[in-house]
Amino acid sequence: MKALHYLRSARIQTTFWSICYLLVGLHYLSTIAKNHQPGVGFSRMLMVGEQFYESALPKFKETDPLVMKGSSGYDAQFYVQIALDPSLQDPELPNAIDNLTYRARRILMPAVAWLAGGGETAKIVKIYPLINPICWVISAILLLYWLPPYCIQNFIRWTGMLLGWGWTLSAQRSLTDGPAATLILLAAILIARGLKKGGAFGIAASALTKDMSLFAGLAVFEKCPSARSTWFRFVKLGCICIMPLFLWLLYLSQTLSVPGNNLMGRANFGLPFHGIGAKLISLAQAASQGENFATFNLICFLGIATQIVFILSRQSWDEIWWRIGFGFAVLAAFLGPAVWEGEPGAVPRVLLVLHVAFNLSVPKSWKWLPLLLLANVSALDFNHQLQPPYLSDQSVRFLEQTELIQYQSEDLKDQLQVTFEEGWLRTEHHGGQTAKWTIGAAEVKFFNITESELTLTIDLELGARERRICLINLNGKTIQALQQPTSRTVFDLGRIQLPPGENILVLDPQIEDHEAPRRIGACLYGVRLKKTD
């Protein structure tokens, strides 16, 4: 009777948690569906920016994707154009892609879109943003191999990985991180089942999706080789992991003759733990000033730091996910300021595989639950992060007017129109706070709609990830050179005269060459306007 009661209880628990898993999956898919618009499909998730759209491939423009006004957009707008010609023979590609030698290394996702679309431009553009949601579903299924639905611990790990920042950012921006992680999951299952050669091919495919996936190559090496035959097998598996990417890079070297750097700037890497240390200090300072979003982000990044420390502080070579996580934990230690910039920035998706490795390596004991919750807290931000990207239309301009621009009086609002023009990334929202990052020099247009000169004081509330000088120019003349600290600071620009018509205020952070081409400079938290006599 006790055995029968246990079986019934186990069935009830499995049924309950299976329903919970299913509800999470349905919620994810329904949130993704909000990005669909009649006539343009899911092209909103390509995040095509107006600043790069002019130089885009003509055949890409013919698909008439949604364009983010006054924005530089994001990376998927370049990868989808590579998908239109994965052989890279189109002579217009170097002009259309911001850094072709860098982005072309990640060829598998564009190639899959090209194959699935049969080489037809319109189909490729429609299919490309769906690759991430499809891979998400595949990952959700693959994770059941380690986390079957029968207890709350498995549910926390499964949900935390799939709804956390890493997967969410990859899906919302149609990036390569999620699909690469899916291939690593598949490779790990094959290796765990003794199919090491199949696992090596899976890692090779992941490396062609995102080259950093090679850090997962340690998964194929279960123990140190002790005999000549073992060494031969290890070398063979290593070659399988590396050779496809090596051959593709060889092809690129012969095909492309694009001037410039292959890398996205030396700031992508730095001294050990410098990047995460600076990030945590910056968020702690912002949180101490009462910024709600900074407090939540600080907790999330403490979760990422926890994952790094946990993996590096243990030595469990027999566990496949420890071997995978170790490579990415070492990578995390050397990531530079450019990768840690922004809220939440690129780090959560770059370290998505580390997040998976952590969840599948932490012992299933209640004493580890606080650590598990801390590492997965970013899943609470899922609904916000997966919302459709803003297109800088009237609704967004209204949002910026009400949340970023503060007028001292209603009559000043009637006399002066303020809009954000070139050089701004999309508006970010966290915990009721609004912020906007510059990319290079950024313009704010003050349009005086009266027939007389307006005199007012302008306060800018700015932040930055590194100390730097920020030049403030008004109508072509430098009016101040701000010594911009890393903490959130209010700068008084003094009395400003604005003649009738258009007046352009330019924020020009002085960014060193090694930070190019990202050139993320200053973060604007608010503009305060006060009319004076």
Side-chain angles (χ1 to χ4, degrees), residues 466-518:
E466 294 184 0
R467 295 179 181 274
R468 55 167 57 95
I469 294 174
C470 182
L471 300 180
I472 306 296
N473 303 319
L474 179 63
N475 295 331
K477 297 181 179 180
T478 300
I479 59 174
Q480 280 202 37
L482 306 179
Q483 299 288 337
Q484 190 176 345
T486 55
S487 58
R488 184 168 168 175
T489 307
V490 176
F491 295 96
D492 181 2
L493 302 187
R495 290 167 57 90
I496 303 292
Q497 282 79 38
L498 300 179
E502 181 178 291
N503 298 270
I504 301 296
L505 184 76
V506 178
L507 283 70
D508 187 10
Q510 302 302 288
I511 302 173
E512 297 181 13
D513 291 340
H514 70 80
E515 298 178 81
R518 294 180 62 91

Side-chain angles (χ1 to χ4, degrees), residues 367-383:
K367 70 179 183 180
W368 292 99
L369 184 59
L371 215 61
L372 196 63
L373 293 173
L374 178 61
N376 290 294
V377 72
S378 69
L380 298 176
D381 200 30
F382 164 77
N383 281 332

Side-chain angles (χ1 to χ4, degrees), residues 58-128:
K59 56 185 176 182
F60 176 60
K61 292 182 179 179
E62 290 174 2
T63 65
D64 195 25
L66 287 175
V67 178
M68 300 171 67
K69 303 294 183 183
S71 170
S72 59
Y74 215 74
D75 297 1
Q77 64 183 321
F78 305 117
Y79 290 116
V80 71
Q81 294 181 73
I82 293 175
L84 302 182
D85 181 16
S87 66
L88 309 176
Q89 299 299 313
D90 191 329
E92 295 181 339
L93 270 175
N95 184 54
I97 310 302
D98 66 336
N99 194 325
L100 184 57
T101 54
Y102 171 81
R103 302 201 185 279
R105 297 197 304 239
R106 303 169 177 182
I107 194 59
L108 188 58
M109 190 170 162
V112 168
W114 183 85
L115 286 171
E120 298 181 25
T121 299
K123 290 183 179 179
I124 294 168
V125 174
K126 288 181 179 179
I127 289 170
Y128 191 87

Side-chain angles (χ1 to χ4, degrees), residues 106 108 176-185 187 199-200 202-219 241-242 245 323-324 327-328 331 349-350 352-353:
R106 303 169 177 182
L108 188 58
T176 60
D177 308 87
T182 303
L183 289 168
I184 290 175
L185 276 170
I203 291 171
S206 183
L208 285 171
T209 306
K210 185 164 187 176
D211 41 2
M212 287 183 180
S213 296
L214 284 177
F215 283 96
L218 292 175
C241 293
I242 296 171
L245 179 60
R323 298 197 300 272
I324 293 173
F328 281 89
L331 169 66
R349 57 181 178 80
V350 171
L352 171 57
V353 177

Side-chain angles (χ1 to χ4, degrees), residues 139-439:
S139 290
I141 295 171
L142 293 176
L143 283 170
L144 296 178
Y145 181 84
W146 289 283
L147 303 171
Y150 69 80
C151 67
I152 190 171
Q153 280 244 9
N154 283 4
F155 179 74
I156 291 172
R157 296 165 195 253
W158 188 84
T159 304
M161 286 183 279
L162 293 170
L163 301 189
W165 270 349
W167 247 117
T168 303
L169 293 170
S170 178
Q172 197 256 3
R173 302 178 184 184
S174 300
L175 301 173
T176 60
D177 308 87
T182 303
L183 289 168
I184 290 175
L185 276 170
L186 178 60
I189 290 177
L190 293 173
I191 295 169
R193 296 179 69 87
L195 303 172
K196 294 181 183 178
K197 188 179 293 186
F201 278 112
I203 291 171
S206 183
L208 285 171
T209 306
K210 185 164 187 176
D211 41 2
M212 287 183 180
S213 296
L214 284 177
F215 283 96
L218 292 175
V220 301
F221 307 121
E222 289 185 347
K223 56 184 177 180
C224 294
S226 56
R228 182 177 299 177
S229 60
T230 311
W231 272 107
F232 176 76
R233 186 167 66 253
F234 271 41
V235 171
K236 182 174 69 175
L237 290 173
C239 286
I240 292 174
C241 293
I242 296 171
M243 194 56 65
L245 179 60
F246 173 78
L247 292 176
W248 177 247
L249 292 176
L250 191 63
Y251 173 80
L252 293 183
S253 67
Q254 300 298 317
T255 304
L256 301 179
S257 57
V258 183
N261 297 325
N262 287 336
L263 301 175
M264 295 295 285
R266 287 176 294 171
N268 279 352
F269 298 96
L271 296 174
F273 302 105
H274 170 71
I276 188 171
K279 180 75 173 183
L280 292 175
I281 291 172
S282 174
L283 286 174
Q285 291 174 340
S288 67
Q289 297 174 6
E291 299 178 21
N292 294 330
F293 84 92
T295 302
F296 179 77
N297 286 356
L298 176 61
I299 296 172
C300 291
F301 278 97
L302 283 172
I304 294 176
T306 297
Q307 298 168 37
I308 298 170
V309 172
F310 175 83
I311 294 293
L312 292 179
S313 63
R314 299 176 77 238
Q315 185 174 349
S316 185
W317 195 266
D318 292 338
E319 297 179 16
I320 183 172
W321 280 108
W322 181 86
R323 298 197 300 272
I324 293 173
F326 180 76
F328 281 89
V330 172
L331 169 66
F334 289 91
L335 290 176
V339 188
W340 294 94
E341 282 180 323
E343 306 297 345
V347 162
R349 57 181 178 80
V350 171
L351 300 180
L352 171 57
V353 177
L354 175 65
H355 189 201
V356 175
F358 172 85
N359 277 282
L360 297 180
S361 298
V362 172
K364 292 185 179 180
S365 168
W366 288 108
K367 70 179 183 180
W368 292 99
L369 184 59
L371 215 61
L372 196 63
L373 293 173
L374 178 61
N376 290 294
V377 72
S378 69
L380 298 176
D381 200 30
F382 164 77
N383 281 332
H384 165 68
Q385 290 296 339
L386 204 59
Q387 290 302 310
Y390 295 105
L391 299 175
S392 293
D393 52 17
Q394 290 182 348
S395 62
V396 177
R397 290 190 182 277
F398 174 77
L399 189 67
E400 293 171 344
Q401 287 278 347
T402 56
E403 296 188 9
L404 281 176
I405 303 168
Q406 301 175 27
Y407 296 87
Q408 179 225 8
S409 59
E410 288 297 321
D411 66 320
L412 180 58
K413 186 182 296 186
D414 295 333
Q415 296 170 342
L416 188 66
Q417 295 178 351
V418 185
T419 55
F420 295 94
E421 302 299 321
E422 296 182 358
W424 297 96
L425 295 176
R426 65 191 292 264
T427 304
E428 299 179 357
H429 309 275
H430 298 275
Q433 300 287 329
T434 305
K436 205 167 180 66
W437 283 90
T438 67
I439 181 165

Side-chain angles (χ1 to χ4, degrees), residues 440-459:
E443 298 180 354
V444 183
K445 181 169 71 175
F446 295 85
F447 194 89
N448 180 357
I449 60 178
T450 71
E451 296 181 356
S452 58
E453 186 176 77
L454 286 175
T455 302
L456 63 153
T457 60
I458 300 177
D459 292 343

